Amino acid sequence: AAQLSAAKNVIVMIGAGVSVASGIPDFRTPGTGLYSQLQEYNLPFPEAIFDIDFFQDNPAPFYRLCTELWPGNFSPTYAHYFLKLLHDKAKLRRVYSQNIDSLECAAGLPAEKLVAAHGNFDSAHVVGGNHSVPIECLEEALKHGEEGWRGLEAKFGGLVKPSITFFGEALPERFRALLHD
């Protein structure tokens, strides 16, 4: 406690465990983890839900999961608010998060203090291109199921997904840009 009280450049690294108390499962815990709960999606293997090649061939399972995990469906935990407190006390340098749930910012942490190492739901883009799409457009399209996301695909010339890093994709540029900062 004394070291934290005197600290001024705290770097925090968080993962799925921070969001479990909000109701979001971690990924790999047998029986309760997200990968254990995907049988009804008829995937060739659980990780396919976040595989870019699988997504390009069959985006429906991921889009369905998106509607379940969309920000606003869950509330920040005490751990998320602790990150905000560190910032408010001018102790926090940066948070590196493996989470895609955007709960750090929902707790009030400024986006410039967060490196979403695996991306998140804060933005969207056309797969295979650099064309950004307002995240609200994707959210609205997903409310209309396949007809909605197919319409979005037609409008923007390709599949649109949240800026979540899938297997087969590079980590976000912000992760590399701040690596040595």
Side-chain angles (χ1 to χ4, degrees), residues 11-28:
I11 295 175
V12 179
M13 297 168 56
I14 61 172
V18 170
S19 297
V20 168
S22 71
I24 300 172
D26 67 16
F27 285 84
R28 292 180 175 84

Side-chain angles (χ1 to χ4, degrees), residues 30-65:
T32 61
L34 180 66
Y35 290 153
S36 293
Q37 300 176 25
L38 297 175
Q39 295 84 3
E40 64 191 66
Y41 286 74
N42 297 316
L43 302 169
F45 53 95
E47 294 85 355
I49 197 92
F50 294 114
D51 182 278
I52 192 62
D53 293 328
F54 182 81
F55 175 77
Q56 289 176 310
D57 289 339
N58 183 8
F62 174 73
Y63 284 143
R64 180 174 156 208
L65 181 64

Side-chain angles (χ1 to χ4, degrees), residues 2-179:
Q3 286 180 335
L4 186 56
S5 180
K8 297 210 186 310
N9 263 334
V10 175
I11 295 175
V12 179
M13 297 168 56
I14 61 172
V18 170
S19 297
V20 168
S22 71
I24 300 172
D26 67 16
F27 285 84
R28 292 180 175 84
T29 300
T32 61
L34 180 66
Y35 290 153
S36 293
Q37 300 176 25
L38 297 175
Q39 295 84 3
E40 64 191 66
Y41 286 74
N42 297 316
L43 302 169
F45 53 95
E47 294 85 355
I49 197 92
F50 294 114
D51 182 278
I52 192 62
D53 293 328
F54 182 81
F55 175 77
Q56 289 176 310
D57 289 339
N58 183 8
F62 174 73
Y63 284 143
R64 180 174 156 208
L65 181 64
C66 264
T67 62
E68 297 172 23
L69 295 179
W70 202 269
N73 292 341
F74 301 94
S75 298
T77 67
Y78 290 125
H80 295 105
Y81 288 111
F82 179 70
L83 300 172
K84 169 76 163 68
L85 179 64
L86 288 174
H87 168 71
D88 291 347
K89 300 284 185 180
K91 297 186 176 301
L92 185 67
R93 179 169 188 158
R94 190 164 299 121
V95 174
Y96 287 87
S97 177
Q98 292 184 323
N99 298 342
I100 62 172
D101 54 38
S102 301
L103 290 177
E104 304 88 2
C105 293
L109 183 71
E112 65 269 9
K113 291 292 184 177
L114 176 66
V115 175
H118 294 162
N120 58 28
F121 284 90
D122 291 354
S123 62
H125 66 278
V126 177
V127 175
N130 292 327
H131 185 72
S132 293
V133 175
I135 192 69
E136 298 81 11
C137 290
L138 178 58
E139 181 180 21
E140 184 60 29
L142 293 181
K143 290 177 183 175
H144 301 284
E146 184 170 353
E147 181 180 334
W149 60 260
R150 290 276 184 211
L152 200 63
E153 178 182 23
K155 178 178 180 179
F156 289 101
L159 291 168
V160 176
K161 74 174 190 67
S163 296
I164 294 169
T165 305
F166 278 20
F167 295 110
E169 292 184 304
L171 293 177
E173 180 56 36
R174 181 167 166 75
F175 180 82
R176 284 188 295 287
L178 294 174
L179 193 59

